[in-house]
Amino acid sequence: MSPRRLSPAAAALLLLSLAAPAAAQDLAIRAGRLVVAADQAPIAGGIVLIRQGRVAAIGTEVVVPRGVTLHQRPQAWVVPGFVDAHVAWGLRGDLDETAAPIQPDVDLALRVDPSHRDYADARGAGVTTGLLAPGFSNLFGGVGATLKSTGKVFGERVAKLTLGSSATSSRRPPTSRAGLLELLRGTLEREHEGGEGFLADFARGAIVGLVSVDGVAGLREMRELQARYGLRLLIDLRGNLRPAELEGLDLSGASIALGPMGPNSNALMRRQAASLVARGAAISFISRLPLQSAQGARLAAHHAVQAGLEPELA
């Protein structure tokens, strides 16, 4: 990622951290560590120059123009804006339509309310991009919207699925986890061959699916279905896995979201990130705002590092 492409996200986080409006800012920050992109080593003692709210230059030899204040932050990490891949900004208690387990017509892009305080909370936590996704009450809850924390919807749509007990119901089938898995397999087979719409797009690997699973059984089952149908998955892992449960499970190329975590999270949850990375998975952290704090994704990364995850990966 070049500095020019980085600028909107980086400027948002940097300027929010100084509690000043981005649009009016000319300033520079020298950070203890400056992160430009995930695949580049942090720059020690790097400077970010911001003109009119946009990143103008990044590096160790940046010349700060006369009249621009240089803020010294020797202990700080300065990073691009965070991406939170599971949020419910502005939604309270109405995430799901539960009459049927599959809801092909639910589209959260129609429910974006950038005036809601959740959007300001996200920006204040340095989150510049989120995935507004349905909840956990349906096998297929609908499609989520990729959006900026300003409320601007952009990018590809994401299918939201849940393979866990919360998607079963005593009032309508499936009433068991076995029934839920049978319905998922049958739906994927049908939609992969001749379906239309977002669910068919997911079944053919044309769009990503954010899939919430409860534990290692769901993780294993989704990996098998991913290989069979060529699915594109971000797996939201909600259970606490012991390292021994991962034995024999190939997670190479898997994308797994964890969180939120806090001081009261148990040791197994905090160690999961390091265990999954050791098995080849790529990890991301989520907050599920407003179910948890807007700081949830960043705090999850903090607790994962305390439990053994490399800081650069976090």
Side-chain angles (χ1 to χ4, degrees):
M1 181 183 295
S2 69
R4 184 175 298 275
R5 290 178 60 199
L6 169 71
S7 58
L13 178 57
L14 296 171
L15 296 172
L16 285 165
S17 70
L18 293 173
Q25 288 295 299
D26 283 348
L27 57 87
I29 303 170
R30 185 191 299 276
R33 297 188 186 183
L34 172 61
V35 177
V36 177
D39 58 353
Q40 298 182 27
I43 301 172
I47 294 175
V48 179
L49 174 64
I50 299 169
R51 305 302 301 269
Q52 294 299 305
R54 290 188 171 273
V55 173
I58 297 176
T60 56
E61 304 297 330
V62 174
V63 176
V64 179
R66 185 187 301 273
V68 174
T69 302
L70 176 62
H71 297 266
Q72 301 286 352
R73 298 289 188 269
Q75 303 302 317
W77 289 66
V78 175
V79 303
F82 296 123
V83 177
D84 194 336
H86 199 325
V87 300
W89 295 338
L91 303 177
R92 298 289 192 279
D94 58 351
L95 288 171
D96 300 305
E97 169 54 62
T98 59
I102 297 177
Q103 297 291 336
D105 298 323
V106 172
D107 185 352
L108 291 195
L110 304 176
R111 300 175 63 186
V112 175
D113 177 13
S115 66
H116 196 281
R117 67 180 183 275
D118 287 345
Y119 289 81
D121 288 347
R123 295 192 298 271
V127 177
T128 57
T129 301
L131 173 61
L132 189 68
F136 311 99
S137 299
N138 299 299
L139 174 60
F140 176 62
V143 289
T146 307
L147 71 167
K148 293 298 183 182
S149 50
T150 59
K152 179 182 179 181
V153 177
F154 75 101
E156 77 175 46
R157 311 309 300 282
V158 177
K160 174 62 173 67
L161 294 93
T162 299
L163 183 60
S165 58
S166 62
T168 63
S169 173
S170 61
R171 296 184 298 273
R172 50 98 175 133
T175 59
S176 67
R177 191 181 180 286
L180 193 69
L181 181 59
E182 181 180 2
L183 179 60
L184 173 60
R185 288 173 172 164
T187 300
L188 286 175
E189 185 69 26
R190 182 183 67 253
E191 297 292 336
H192 183 83
E193 293 300 323
E196 296 181 354
F198 286 119
L199 189 51
D201 289 343
F202 165 70
R204 298 186 188 112
I207 64 172
V208 172
L210 172 64
V211 184
S212 298
V213 302
D214 287 344
V216 69
L219 179 58
R220 191 181 303 276
E221 287 154 356
M222 289 311 307
R223 288 289 286 168
E224 291 173 356
L225 292 171
Q226 182 176 23
R228 179 173 180 177
Y229 292 104
L231 304 177
R232 298 166 60 199
L233 299 180
L234 172 60
I235 299 175
D236 171 16
L237 182 59
R238 298 195 289 165
N240 297 330
L241 303 185
R242 299 179 183 277
E245 293 182 89
L246 298 173
E247 292 294 331
L249 184 57
D250 180 14
L251 295 178
S252 301
S255 296
I256 299 178
L258 299 173
M261 287 183 256
N264 296 325
S265 298
N266 62 43
L268 276 178
M269 180 177 287
R270 289 186 276 113
R271 287 198 297 265
Q272 275 186 145
S275 298
L276 292 166
V277 166
R279 291 282 171 186
I283 298 298
S284 59
F285 297 101
I286 56 179
S287 72
R288 299 200 185 104
L289 178 74
L291 301 181
Q292 298 290 337
S293 163
Q295 309 285 346
R298 191 172 66 195
L299 291 175
H302 167 77
H303 288 291
V305 168
Q306 287 189 323
L309 183 67
E310 292 294 327
E312 287 75 13
L313 290 176

